[in-house]
Amino acid sequence: MAPPPGAASYGSGCRWELLQHLTALESLAIRSCDGLIELPESVRSLASLRTLRISFCRSLCMLPEWLGELRYLETMSFFDCGSLSPAPSMQPLRALKALDISNSRWVDDLCSPSLQTLVIRICDGISSHTQSFRQLTSLTDLQILGCRDFHQLPECLGELCSLQKLDIKGLPRLSSLPQSLGHLTSLQELRIEYSDAFAQLPECVGELHSLRIFKIWQLRSLRCLPQSLGHLTSLQELKITYCEALGQLPESLGELRSLRVLTISQSHSLTCLPQSLGHLTSLQKLGIAYCRELGQLPKSLGELHSLSKLVLWWLPGLTSVPESMCCLTSLEELTIMDCPGIRSLSEWIKDLTALQTLEIDGCPDDMVRRCERRNGKDWHLISHIPHLNIGLGAGHYHLDFD
């Protein structure tokens, strides 16, 4: 495929001297140049260059001093450049806004104060160079992914006053977050995923008053969430997945009055949900799935008057749902899947006048028979619902409310 107008792609065997004539070039990709030790001098002539991507150049070991002369350079990425290091007196990249370093050596000198997006993937050895982060005063998006030797985030993280999104994924040695995290008053999205040693969220999490989205995924050592969670007054989405040691949720959960989406899944140690769940007056979507030990739902569930979508999926310990669910006057979609303990529908379901879709699958056969059109014993309870999917493969459903 040919590069787009204003872009060029170079690989092994190219004639580097031709680059000096492309003074209007805005995007350059260099890949699979095994013999390339340093950037060619001809790149220096690309005065209009905005994007530079270098990949699979494993011999590249030196970034030139003149790189900072590319004063329009906004985006750089390095992939599989394991020998990379800066020149001793490399000029700063004053216009750089986005930097992506993957499977390469970390270069402190690329930490420009103008940087807004920083993605670090599979960069072993970076944990000893994180103090350079404090220079990133304009950073809004930080992603640290797959850095296996990373065991702690630096305290200077709290100095990133512009940070809006923090994504931490695949750091198996990371056990917690720094106390300075609470200073990130602009943070809106926080994701922590695939960190098996992660055992505790600090109380300072509750100081993230701008946080709107909080997702934790596969933190197998996490046993509890802090009570300060309830202080997240701007939180709109909370997703807890594959936290197998998590035994309970704090009562302060009910203080999340802005919460619209709550997903709890693959948390096999969870035995109950807090009664304060009913205080989530803004909650619109609730998904509870693959919680093996969960034996009952709180009666306060019926107080969720804004709830429009409810998914109950693979809850083998659940034998019934609370009668208070008759008060879910805004409920439009109800899914009950792989809940073998629920053998019949309750009378209250006919009171759900807003219900538009009912899906039941993977439940006992006699429950399916009771819902058979016209002849089933429970048909009169559900005949008013426009869209019915009873035992017809609703099992392909998922919990992604995005």
Side-chain angles (χ1 to χ4, degrees), residues 190-306:
L190 175 59
R191 292 176 173 85
I192 312 170
E193 304 178 6
Y194 297 101
S195 298
D196 287 348
F198 200 96
Q200 185 177 8
L201 280 167
E203 288 288 337
C204 66
V205 166
E207 300 172 19
L208 303 174
H209 299 305
S210 298
L211 198 66
R212 295 186 301 105
I213 298 174
F214 186 19
K215 296 183 179 182
I216 55 177
W217 183 294
Q218 198 161 318
L219 307 183
R220 290 177 171 164
S221 300
L222 186 67
R223 296 186 177 277
C224 62
L225 299 179
Q227 284 292 336
S228 64
L229 184 75
H231 299 163
L232 301 177
T233 53
S234 298
L235 196 66
Q236 296 180 15
E237 181 177 359
L238 175 60
K239 188 171 186 176
I240 303 168
T241 305
Y242 278 112
C243 296
E244 297 173 359
L246 187 65
Q248 61 181 6
L249 300 178
E251 280 293 331
S252 63
L253 181 75
E255 299 172 21
L256 302 176
R257 302 302 169 83
S258 298
L259 197 66
R260 298 180 181 178
V261 179
L262 174 59
T263 305
I264 304 167
S265 64
Q266 281 91 0
S267 298
H268 294 305
S269 298
L270 197 65
T271 57
C272 63
L273 300 177
Q275 284 294 332
S276 64
L277 184 74
H279 299 162
L280 300 176
T281 54
S282 298
L283 196 66
Q284 298 175 6
K285 298 176 181 179
L286 173 60
I288 308 170
Y290 287 88
C291 297
R292 184 173 50 229
E293 299 300 322
L294 189 65
Q296 61 181 1
L297 300 176
K299 294 179 180 179
S300 63
L301 188 67
E303 300 172 20
L304 300 176
H305 300 306
S306 298

Side-chain angles (χ1 to χ4, degrees), residues 9-27:
S9 179
Y10 277 70
S12 59
C14 65
R15 296 177 58 186
W16 296 110
E17 67 273 12
L18 297 178
L19 281 175
Q20 62 186 324
H21 304 296
L22 304 177
T23 55
L25 191 70
E26 295 184 357
S27 180

